[in-house]
Each structure stands twice: as C-alpha cells, then as structure tokens.
Amino acid sequence: QILLSEILGVPATIETSTNTSALGSFYDVGNNLIYASRTYNWEGLQVPLATEDGTCPRGDGPNSESCCHVIPEVWQDAASVLKEEEESGSIVRPSSLDVIGKLGIYIPTFTAKRDLSLSSFLGLGGEENRIKVAEAFKLPTTFAEYCETISPTRCLNDTNSSIASRPPTDGTEGVKYFVEGGIYNGFFRNTEHNNCTQNSTTCVGHFIDGRCDWATLAQAQLHWNNILVESHGPEGVSGWYNYSSMVEIWHAANATQSDVMMWWWSTDWMLQSFIGTEGEFVKVDLPTPTLDCINNRVSEEGKCSADRIDQVGDQAGACDYEPFVLVKAISSALSMQKEQAPEAKTSAALDLIDSFRTSDLVVDYWLKEWYERGVDRFGYDPRDVICTWVSENVDELAASLPAGYPRQVLSTGDTYSTGLFQAARVLTYISAVASIVSLVLVLLWRKRRVIRYAQPDFLCLVLVGFLLLAGAAFLYTLEPQSTICILRPWFWLLGSSLELMPLIVKVSAILKALKEANNFRRVKMSRIHLLGAVFALMGVITVFLAVWTGVDPPGREESLVLTDQENPVGGLYVEVRVKCASNSDGWVVAGLAWQLVLLFWATIVAYQTRSIRTEFNESQYLGFMIYTHFMFVLLRVILVLFVSDNFIPSDTMLFTSFLLSLDTIVTLNIYFAPKFYNAAFLGDASEIETSERRGSSRWTSVMRASSFRGGSSF
C-alpha cells in the first residue's frame, strides 16, 4: 500500500470481506488493525469486472458491496479454487510472493520437554496413547465461565488467586480466554470428554482448531492418524475457534504452563513472539507428505460439512502439510484497465503487484519488531515497523518498481513561458500597436485625397479587424482555459471577416457605380446603406459564432503523453498537452471555409477593378493583400486539417499566433503603408497631377469623383 500510494501515486485501500471501510489501511486515522472473518473474498474479485472502467464502486460500511482487485496472500488450500478462477478469466495468472507458507499442528516447548513423544504422531496416535493425550490436553475456559462456575469466590476479593484478579467488566471481556496484566491468566479444565476414568474407551484430549474455511486439514489428519483429540470450540459444526480466541488460548497456556495442542501457521507474529521462550511453538510431526497424499486432500466443501465422513475425507490425504510458496490473486480488471488506458495513463498497479517479492526472513523480522514494540500492538506498532523498514530500504524497493515509474507530470505553465511564446507575444504587441497607429493616422488624414477616396469609414473597420486578429494571436499564446477557448474563435472570425468585408463592399459599390455610369445613369449610394451591408454580413458570422458557443462551446481539453525524458526519481515524465477543442471539428472547418469564400469574393472584385480610375483603383494593392492573406489562410488550413495531429498542441497554437500576427503586419504594409506614404509626403497635389495625366482614360469623360457622402452621386 505504501509503494502504490506514496511512490507510484496509485490510491489503494486495505479492506476485508466483512467490512468495506478502509479500516485495515496503513493510513487509517484510528490506527485500526482488523482481521477478516473469511479467508478469501473470491466474490469481491468479480465485482470490478462488472464495472465499465474496472474500478470498485465506492461505498463504506458493512452493508456495502465487498469489492477488491487483489488478494495478496493465497495459501495452498485454495489451489483448486485459484485454478478455477484463472480458467474462468476472473484473475490473471497467479504470481509468487516468494514467502514460504508453513502450516502445522503445534505444542509449546514446555509440553515437548515434559513428554517429547507428544511432538510426533508416533507418540500421540493409537489406543495406547489415549489416556496420555486425554490427560495432557484440557479444555480452555473463558473469563466469564471461570468466574461464574469454577471460582469459589466468583473472582471477588480473591487477591491470592493466580488465575483471576477480578470479574470481567463486560461481555466482551467475559468471552476472552486470557486478559493481559494478570487480570485473567486463563484456566484449562477437565471435562467429561477427557475423563478416562469414566470413559476409558472414548476419552479424548482437547484440540484447538481454526475455522473450517481456513487452510486447516487437522480434522482429517487427526482422525486418520488416530490422534485422539477433538476440537470443542464455540463455533461451527467442527467446534472451531476464531483468531482472537486462538491467540488468547496460547497465551493462557504459556501463563499457566498448561499443555495445549493447536493448529497454526507460519509466517505469523505469534510464532515470532514466543521464539526463545518456554512457550515457543514446536511442530508436531505427521507422516511425510507425498504427491499422492496431496492429490487426495479433503475438499473445501467437505471440511465445513456437518457430515463427519465428509469432514475427514480420504485416508490417503492425511499426511503432513507440504511447504508451499504463497501467491497473489489479481483481478483481471487490473489487466483490463492497463490494456484500455492510453500509454501515458497506464497504472503501475498491476506490474508492481505482480512483480512484488519478499522473503520469510524479512516477514519474520517485521513480525518480531512489531511484537517487541509493545506500545500499541494492534494499532500504531505495526505501522511504525513497516514505515521504518520502508524508509531504511528505499533503494532496494526502488529496484522492484516497474520500468518507467514513478512518473511525474511536466508543468503546462512552463510551456507557455518559453522564449518562442514570449517572442510570439511581442509580435502580437507589434501587430496591435501597428493597427492602432494606422487607425489614428486614418482618422488624422481622413480629409486627404488618398484616404478620402479609400473611404475612412471602411478603412477604420478594416483596422478594427486587424486589431481583433492581433487579439486572437495573443490569445493563442496563453494556456487554454474555458474563457480563452471561447474568445479565440470570436476574435479570429470577427477579425478576419472585418479585414476583408468592408473592402469587398466598398469595391463592389464602386463597380456598381461604374456600371451605371457606362449606361449614363445616375446612381445614389448611402454610406449608411453600405455600412449596413458590412454589418449585415458581420451579423451572419456573429450568429454562427453564437450558435457554436451555445451548442458546442470550445473548452480546455487535456491529453497525457509519455515522454522518454527521465525524471529525478528514476521514472519518466508525462507531458500534459492542452488545447481548445469542441466535440466536433466541423466548426473550425466551417470558419476556415468562410475565410476562403471571402478571399475568393475579394479576388473577383479586385480583378474587376483593374482598369478603373487611379483614385479608385486598388486592384494592385488589394491583389497583393488577397494573395498574402490567402497564403496565411492556406497555411492555417494545412496546420489545422493535416498536421495538427502530429504536432504538440502548444506548438500548433504557437504557429497559429505567429501566422495571425504576421498576416496582420504584412497586410498593413501592403495595403495601408502606401496610402500613408502618399498622404504624408505627396499630398493632394500628387493625386490631382496623376488624375490629369490619365485624362485620356475612358472614365474621365463620364465620371467626376466625389467621396461617398450621404447624398452624393456619380
């Protein structure tokens, strides 16, 4: 859990099949340490497979559905179920934990010292050993039962008692077999079951067995090896004890030096805590395990059956436990997540859990340190031991991490502060300032002939368009956010439309006037009417933008890309690539198509004005302007439709900003610079002289120019 959560950044909780809260987690705020009442939660492994993304539905409390991705410790008793789960596809191939599991029947060292024969089936089995076994192994007694039925003083004011110093304070304490601090040291008593005087042929000793759905095979082993003991615990059809009771009974036996025989396992903290003491676990030898014996073990269903014949199974399966390597059961949901996720989002959970290994010695060390802490044994102590060990073995643990992990995310803010983006912003400032200066000059020189013939009102609209394009270019240098993503198309389309539409309307009006003049007809053109045409066309594009914003607004879209750049902790960097995007690319395509329509329209009117009077003839400048503008738009079309998928989004935005700024600056130089030069240095006289030199033109005999004043006419 520490490796996943702290080093790899994969959220992980530890839960039990009977409590779906995370009370078992290392990070539990109450430092709880809980045990499950079931050994394996096979049903929980199925739950994430039923979800779309392979995750566990979030829910806490005893009534929530139990769900898990990993059972980190599976013993050999579940080998058949493990195989079935793998064949059904519920789990991936089980992987080794490299910890050797050992099961067995144990007695304390002091018992073995009293009678070494009790440590082998040869000295335990048979009728000849019935009385010895029955007398040695007595029934453990709970605190409440001792005080109520055995203690002559009911545990009251009995200061000389070595068994109990007081009665239990509540029901929870009453069912305990041992209470630390000398409060209750335990008591083992004779019952009718081990009374060989009255029942010489049926008396038996008492055995402490675990839950039938645990890995115990004791019922079959004891029965077929004729070891005459029985488990008479308070639970289950076979009279088993829960984990806490078994721990208490062994402590009670050690405190009272009473003989006890109990099923247990290794590696476990209990074995570690008694090493070197008189209560150290001594394994009872049973017949040597063979492959034939292992293949004839009692079934899982049989162990928990109410039928004694099913409980003991086949005699051929009554040999000792074989050592085995613990394995991990991993839900196929983790494999599904890994396969479906993009490379940059691939979780390291499956690889880490699958490859994680440890050893018996390491686990024994953890358990020994845990028990010896003695501060808060079932709360803080185990967490302190593991945390300390992890901090002392970071390098060793790092070697077990999957290649390329842990990953770190590159900050997106750094991308937009690079030198190129700074240069792009400077260029937007230049284009914006150039547009503003041009606008000021048009207003200052609006009465000079070259400006007056070009129509100041329309020139101002064009320059506003350039200013909007400069704003769009600036927006493309900023990291995409919701507002920025929405403003970009508005500035871009409104700006590019105002850049051309006033010129198209103006030149179209000139052409119409010239056509009427050829027919010697008078035509009246209102400035309001012409400006209205411009704003009507702008209204169309405004409606388009409003629909785009309302129906499918562009927003911030993030994608993660795994780089080959190594981060400081030995993994790889994941780059966050951010762009503005709508659900459909059709909106951008439609915007570019609109620009191309305007360019085609402008090209036609520019060609038609090639032979009109100089004062009105802008075909040369307009042609250059359209040509350069077309090239910039073409580059944008290529960038958006053909190469943007192969570019980093930030690079695409950078190029777009450069294109918009350069488009503005170049167009200002092509179309406006000559007019400003004429207005500043040649003046109106130059225009008059030019007009007189072209007096032979076919237009001079029919047209007298005047500016488009409200009621003027040709």
Side-chain angles (χ1 to χ4, degrees), residues 147-371:
C147 291
E148 293 171 3
T149 63
I150 299 175
S151 172
T153 63
R154 300 181 65 85
C155 301
L156 295 171
N157 302 319
D158 192 358
T159 56
N160 296 322
S161 174
S162 61
I163 299 175
S165 61
R166 60 166 175 79
T169 56
D170 53 33
T172 301
E173 196 174 64
V175 297
K176 291 182 177 295
Y177 292 89
F178 175 80
V179 180
E180 288 183 312
I183 296 174
Y184 179 57
N185 290 325
F187 184 77
F188 292 79
R189 72 183 191 273
N190 288 312
T191 67
E192 61 179 13
H193 295 292
N194 63 337
N195 188 338
C196 293
T197 302
Q198 296 180 0
N199 308 298
S200 60
T201 60
T202 58
C203 62
V204 293
H206 190 72
F207 178 71
I208 312 300
D209 201 4
R211 290 175 56 96
C212 63
D213 57 352
W214 290 358
T216 175
L217 299 170
Q219 294 297 320
Q221 292 168 327
L222 296 171
H223 175 79
W224 293 114
N225 287 294
N226 203 21
I227 299 174
L228 303 174
V229 292
E230 294 177 357
S231 183
H232 294 287
E235 302 186 50
V237 294
S238 57
W240 44 263
Y241 293 85
N242 62 36
Y243 177 84
S244 298
S245 296
M246 296 173 77
V247 171
E248 293 162 7
I249 290 170
W250 194 270
H251 278 86
N254 188 59
T256 61
Q257 295 292 290
S258 300
D259 297 324
V260 66
M261 181 185 294
M262 186 170 79
W263 174 84
W264 204 251
W265 61 91
S266 174
T267 299
D268 180 75
W269 72 273
M270 273 274 288
L271 273 74
Q272 295 299 314
S273 66
F274 284 96
I275 289 178
T277 70
E278 287 295 297
E280 183 173 347
F281 284 63
V282 175
K283 188 176 181 299
V284 174
D285 291 331
L286 296 175
T288 303
T290 63
L291 186 60
D292 181 62
C293 174
I294 294 170
N295 291 334
N296 284 280
R297 295 291 198 195
V298 61
S299 67
E300 290 299 305
E301 296 80 8
K303 289 195 303 177
C304 293
S305 172
D307 190 327
R308 181 63 179 170
I309 296 177
D310 293 334
Q311 286 181 19
V312 299
D314 193 330
Q315 183 176 2
C319 60
D320 206 346
Y321 299 94
E322 74 280 8
F324 58 93
V325 178
L326 303 183
V327 297
K328 295 157 285 189
I330 306 172
S331 173
S332 297
L334 286 182
S335 176
M336 178 184 70
Q337 287 179 343
K338 182 178 179 180
E339 293 172 359
Q340 294 178 351
E343 184 182 22
K345 290 186 176 181
T346 302
S347 170
L350 177 61
D351 292 337
L352 175 69
I353 295 168
D354 184 60
S355 63
F356 181 78
R357 303 286 189 275
T358 184
S359 70
D360 298 60
L361 294 177
V362 172
V363 176
D364 286 344
Y365 172 80
W366 294 339
L367 297 172
K368 180 175 179 293
E369 289 293 310
W370 168 24
Y371 187 80

Side-chain angles (χ1 to χ4, degrees), residues 250-524:
W250 194 270
H251 278 86
N254 188 59
T256 61
Q257 295 292 290
S258 300
D259 297 324
V260 66
M261 181 185 294
M262 186 170 79
W263 174 84
W264 204 251
W265 61 91
S266 174
T267 299
D268 180 75
W269 72 273
M270 273 274 288
L271 273 74
Q272 295 299 314
S273 66
F274 284 96
I275 289 178
T277 70
E278 287 295 297
E280 183 173 347
F281 284 63
V282 175
K283 188 176 181 299
V284 174
D285 291 331
L286 296 175
T288 303
T290 63
L291 186 60
D292 181 62
C293 174
I294 294 170
N295 291 334
N296 284 280
R297 295 291 198 195
V298 61
S299 67
E300 290 299 305
E301 296 80 8
K303 289 195 303 177
C304 293
S305 172
D307 190 327
R308 181 63 179 170
I309 296 177
D310 293 334
Q311 286 181 19
V312 299
D314 193 330
Q315 183 176 2
C319 60
D320 206 346
Y321 299 94
E322 74 280 8
F324 58 93
V325 178
L326 303 183
V327 297
K328 295 157 285 189
I330 306 172
S331 173
S332 297
L334 286 182
S335 176
M336 178 184 70
Q337 287 179 343
K338 182 178 179 180
E339 293 172 359
Q340 294 178 351
E343 184 182 22
K345 290 186 176 181
T346 302
S347 170
L350 177 61
D351 292 337
L352 175 69
I353 295 168
D354 184 60
S355 63
F356 181 78
R357 303 286 189 275
T358 184
S359 70
D360 298 60
L361 294 177
V362 172
V363 176
D364 286 344
Y365 172 80
W366 294 339
L367 297 172
K368 180 175 179 293
E369 289 293 310
W370 168 24
Y371 187 80
E372 290 180 352
R373 286 289 196 277
V375 178
D376 181 13
R377 184 163 295 157
F378 295 97
Y380 172 78
D381 290 358
R383 291 170 169 83
D384 181 40
V385 169
I386 294 300
C387 189
T388 301
W389 186 86
V390 168
S391 66
E392 293 173 350
N393 294 271
V394 170
D395 294 338
E396 179 182 344
L397 290 171
S400 68
L401 297 178
Y405 294 91
R407 294 173 176 175
Q408 291 183 344
V409 177
L410 283 172
S411 172
T412 56
D414 296 341
T415 304
Y416 297 91
S417 59
T418 60
L420 283 175
F421 271 92
Q422 296 291 359
R425 290 191 189 100
V426 170
L427 200 60
T428 64
Y429 302 150
I430 294 173
S431 62
V433 170
S435 299
I436 294 171
V437 170
S438 298
L439 186 60
V440 172
L441 292 177
V442 167
L443 294 174
L444 288 176
W445 294 340
R446 63 186 179 278
K447 293 184 178 180
R448 298 197 179 186
R449 181 174 298 182
V450 66
I451 302 298
R452 190 164 70 246
Y453 282 158
Q455 295 303 306
D457 294 341
F458 289 88
L459 294 180
C460 288
L461 289 176
V462 172
L463 290 169
V464 170
F466 285 141
L467 194 57
L468 289 174
L469 282 178
F474 178 76
L475 290 173
Y476 275 99
T477 66
L478 302 178
E479 181 178 347
Q481 302 295 341
S482 299
T483 303
I484 292 172
C485 290
I486 292 174
L487 289 177
R488 279 180 183 175
W490 281 84
F491 275 73
W492 160 50
L493 281 178
L494 290 177
S496 59
S497 299
L498 274 176
E499 178 186 11
L500 289 175
M501 277 197 292
L503 297 178
I504 293 172
V505 170
K506 182 190 74 170
V507 176
S508 297
I510 293 173
L511 291 173
K512 181 179 179 181
L514 294 176
K515 180 180 179 181
E516 296 300 324
N518 276 336
N519 296 322
F520 296 93
R521 288 198 295 265
R522 185 181 299 273
V523 60
K524 291 185 178 181

Side-chain angles (χ1 to χ4, degrees), residues 504-681:
I504 293 172
V505 170
K506 182 190 74 170
V507 176
S508 297
I510 293 173
L511 291 173
K512 181 179 179 181
L514 294 176
K515 180 180 179 181
E516 296 300 324
N518 276 336
N519 296 322
F520 296 93
R521 288 198 295 265
R522 185 181 299 273
V523 60
K524 291 185 178 181
M525 295 185 186
S526 167
R527 179 184 289 107
I528 296 176
H529 172 75
L530 296 176
L531 292 175
V534 173
F535 288 116
L537 291 171
M538 291 298 295
V540 173
I541 195 63
T542 301
V543 170
F544 169 76
L545 288 167
V547 173
W548 182 357
T549 303
V551 174
D552 189 12
R556 177 186 172 99
E557 183 179 285
E558 293 186 358
S559 61
L560 300 179
V561 178
L562 183 64
T563 70
D564 57 1
Q565 182 181 354
E566 186 172 322
N567 60 45
V569 291
L572 297 177
Y573 275 115
V574 173
E575 182 180 356
V576 180
R577 295 182 177 178
V578 187
K579 66 178 181 179
C580 292
S582 297
N583 294 326
S584 172
D585 294 331
W587 302 101
V588 176
V589 174
L592 291 171
W594 170 252
Q595 279 193 283
L596 292 174
V597 167
L598 290 180
L599 284 171
F600 181 70
W601 189 0
T603 302
I604 293 174
V605 297
Y607 177 78
Q608 291 176 338
T609 61
R610 68 192 184 283
S611 58
I612 68 172
R613 183 171 172 173
T614 304
E615 291 90 336
F616 301 101
N617 189 347
E618 297 183 311
S619 60
Q620 181 179 3
Y621 301 124
L622 195 57
F624 278 124
M625 172 182 168
I626 292 169
Y627 174 76
T628 56
H629 190 52
F630 173 78
M631 295 305 298
F632 283 114
V633 173
L634 181 62
L635 288 173
R636 278 215 66 197
V637 170
I638 295 172
L639 184 64
V640 171
L641 299 183
F642 300 106
V643 300
S644 61
D645 290 340
N646 300 320
F647 271 45
I648 299 174
S650 58
D651 290 346
T652 301
M653 290 183 280
L654 179 65
F655 294 151
T656 301
S657 177
F658 274 121
L659 288 175
L660 293 175
S661 295
L662 290 173
D663 185 11
T664 301
I665 293 171
V666 171
T667 305
L668 284 171
N669 279 281
I670 290 174
Y671 186 74
F672 283 90
K675 296 183 186 303
F676 294 150
Y677 179 81
N678 288 338
F681 299 106

